[in-house]
Amino acid sequence: MENELPGYSERRPPGYTAKSDAAAAAGTDHTEHKYSLETKGRHWLFIFVRSRSPAATSSPYFVQADTVAGRVELDLDKAESVKGVSVQIRGSTTAVGQEEQMFLELDQNLWPGPQDKSGKLEKGKHSWPFSFKLPKTVSPADPSAKGMSIEAPPSFSERASPAYIDYKIVATVKRGAFKPNQTLTQSFAYLPLIRPDPPSKLRQMAYKEGGDILGPDGDPNGWKVLAPVQFKGKLFDAIEVEVECTLALATPLAYTAGSPMPLFLTLKSSNEQALDTLSDTKAIKLFLVRSIALGSDSMEERADRRSNTVFPSGAGQAYFWPSAEGAREPGKRILRGELEVKKSAKPSFLFPRFSIRYTMQLLPFSATGFVSLGTESGKPLLSEPVKIATQHIPGIVPKSYAPPGYEKPEESDYNSAVGYLENGNQRFYNHGAGFA
């Protein structure tokens, strides 16, 4: 699936050592969160858990290979009949209108029940520690993934989303045959550690030494130059023009959330006025598009073809400025550009019945005095799959190369730029939505 894209290499965070897990288990430099269950105005069942979240009021947050450590406490105002106390880690996917599907179930029996004849737990406070090592891979219960071991997906929750991925801690107090068990549940955020392959040696040198990055001509190993696309248009409702557009994306085609994606765009035409009009950064509609794929074929390479189970949304727009490399050659305009991948962007992942993919889509140019001819409204001139990662390569942090004082244009709304909805196909559009 998507074998043509670069693979992901080492997934440990920068600076990872064998001591990291021990530190997580001990709660070193972690924030402690407290949650409780209240009955008749009194809090009596508690979960305490340490996580990477910066504040105790935030949801617990963990990354791949972390240890979820804490304790469960009971504070009883009288001796009560308790048959046992346990804690679980659960991971599940839920699509709108469908039942929850578990893919992760870890259990620990904290207290097996009273050993004396009274069959009761004494009045007062009781505390039991717990510790779970989060696995890198999980085994989904979905029949289509029977026997498969798949990398655990990130947690996912958005307003109006067609599906969710939830991780939670569940503390359970067993009451016996004639009384219902009582549970305290708290969701937490989880993120896999995904690192792209290294960029070209010349780009690595530029990032490390603070130099400029070279374009496709100077660093051919550092770019994927897409096949040129030709389109026609009418200029000022009078002159028909033909333009050739070539887009180059920095390789590998995997970009870390929170970093800029380098771009080069070349326009060619015999009409200089058309080139000046279309090289205006406001005219270029190049988007990073996120697609949620649902259903039994969500992991298939061409699942994006089935529009009734794929939900696209804009995840960012590129901006451009004239390049010193032939910025005003006769018949040609070369533009440099970037697209800032939002820090909140979820990584690409494939999972049974719920996958997220990204593509770069160049929509028809939009400029005052220019009307595209022969291009289908809302359909991209070109589309190229890319992947979104979560970790930088140690020592290599991409930076922005926008000119000093450059004011980035206001982003267009992807859905407005597309400008159409397929009849009878209900879509969920969440342009710019945040991630939990």
Side-chain angles (χ1 to χ4, degrees):
M1 303 166 199
E2 297 186 326
N3 291 331
E4 72 279 7
L5 295 184
Y8 292 146
S9 56
E10 174 61 45
R11 286 168 164 80
R12 296 296 191 189
Y16 176 87
T17 67
K19 295 181 180 179
S20 299
D21 292 332
T28 305
D29 297 326
H30 282 44
T31 299
E32 184 173 73
H33 308 263
K34 176 183 178 181
Y35 307 98
S36 63
L37 181 64
E38 179 183 355
T39 302
K40 296 181 179 179
R42 186 174 185 276
H43 297 268
W44 64 278
L45 173 58
F46 301 86
I47 293 176
F48 295 84
V49 62
R50 295 181 292 275
S51 87
R52 294 174 178 266
S53 292
T57 53
S58 302
S59 295
Y61 165 63
F62 300 95
V63 301
Q64 181 181 302
D66 269 352
T67 296
V68 180
R71 65 189 185 277
V72 172
E73 290 189 357
L74 291 182
D75 185 6
L76 304 178
D77 59 354
K78 62 180 179 180
E80 291 194 30
S81 176
V82 176
K83 299 300 182 182
V85 179
S86 61
V87 64
Q88 300 84 33
I89 298 290
R90 297 284 185 260
S92 64
T93 60
T94 306
V96 173
Q98 297 185 16
E99 294 184 0
E100 181 181 42
Q101 287 195 343
M102 291 288 178
F103 60 80
L104 176 63
E105 297 183 82
L106 306 175
D107 295 85
Q108 287 185 14
N109 189 16
L110 302 179
W111 185 65
Q115 304 302 309
D116 57 27
K117 295 181 180 180
S118 70
K120 292 187 177 183
L121 189 60
E122 295 181 356
K123 173 185 176 180
K125 292 186 178 181
H126 307 268
S127 181
W128 300 273
F130 64 84
S131 179
F132 294 94
K133 178 69 173 293
L134 293 175
K136 176 181 176 181
T137 59
V138 295
S139 299
D142 190 88
S144 65
K146 187 175 181 180
M148 294 177 63
S149 181
I150 303 175
E151 186 167 290
S155 53
F156 185 93
S157 177
E158 286 185 359
R159 179 176 58 86
S161 173
Y164 305 87
I165 298 176
D166 189 35
Y167 290 85
K168 52 195 173 188
I169 306 170
V170 183
T172 302
V173 176
K174 300 175 183 177
R175 289 294 195 176
F178 302 105
K179 291 185 178 180
N181 295 338
Q182 292 179 285
T183 60
L184 172 59
T185 302
Q186 175 59 39
S187 294
F188 63 86
Y190 171 79
L191 191 68
L193 298 181
I194 304 171
R195 187 177 296 157
D197 291 332
S200 69
K201 291 183 178 180
L202 289 176
R203 183 171 293 119
Q204 290 185 48
M205 188 181 303
Y207 288 150
K208 291 179 179 179
E209 298 179 0
D212 199 4
I213 60 175
L214 299 177
D217 291 339
D219 182 18
N221 293 328
W223 298 87
K224 180 172 182 178
V225 181
L226 306 184
V229 293
Q230 287 84 27
F231 59 91
K232 295 181 179 180
K234 183 171 285 189
L235 196 62
F236 302 117
D237 202 27
I239 306 172
E240 285 196 10
V241 296
E242 184 171 350
V243 182
E244 178 184 279
C245 175
T246 304
L247 176 65
L249 306 176
T251 56
L253 301 182
Y255 311 95
T256 302
S259 65
M261 177 193 306
L263 305 163
F264 259 78
L265 187 74
T266 302
L267 298 174
K268 294 181 179 180
S269 177
S270 60
N271 188 296
E272 293 290 322
Q273 193 171 20
L275 288 177
D276 289 338
T277 300
L278 298 181
S279 60
D280 184 330
T281 185
K282 294 180 182 179
I284 305 170
K285 305 300 180 183
L286 178 62
F287 290 90
L288 176 65
V289 179
R290 187 193 73 188
S291 295
I292 296 177
L294 303 181
S296 58
D297 64 349
S298 67
M299 295 182 67
E300 294 180 10
E301 184 176 343
R302 301 306 301 171
D304 57 338
R305 288 182 175 175
R306 293 188 55 189
S307 60
N308 61 322
T309 58
V310 177
F311 305 93
S313 60
Q317 184 178 357
Y319 50 93
F320 292 86
W321 59 92
S323 169
E325 301 180 31
R328 288 195 60 84
E329 289 183 23
K332 179 192 289 189
R333 300 291 183 272
I334 300 178
L335 303 171
R336 288 183 59 170
E338 294 175 350
L339 187 146
E340 292 183 354
V341 182
K342 295 179 174 63
K343 291 182 179 180
S344 58
K346 283 295 184 183
S348 309
F349 68 90
L350 300 179
F351 204 72
R353 297 188 178 274
F354 187 6
S355 296
I356 286 183
R357 295 175 174 84
Y358 289 88
T359 55
M360 291 295 292
Q361 292 188 12
L362 178 64
L363 300 183
F365 286 62
S366 176
T368 301
F370 179 82
V371 177
S372 293
L373 300 175
T375 56
E376 189 174 350
S377 176
K379 295 296 184 180
L381 296 172
L382 59 82
S383 180
E384 181 68 21
V386 298
K387 290 185 177 180
I388 302 303
T390 63
Q391 296 285 300
H392 290 296
I393 298 171
I396 303 176
V397 180
K399 67 172 187 176
S400 174
Y401 283 89
Y406 177 78
E407 293 187 8
K408 300 169 187 174
E410 184 178 348
E411 286 192 9
S412 303
D413 181 81
Y414 169 72
N415 305 317
S416 298
V418 170
Y420 80 105
L421 293 174
E422 294 182 17
N423 293 330
N425 176 30
Q426 182 182 7
R427 290 176 176 267
F428 292 78
Y429 287 113
N430 298 301
H431 172 67
F435 297 84

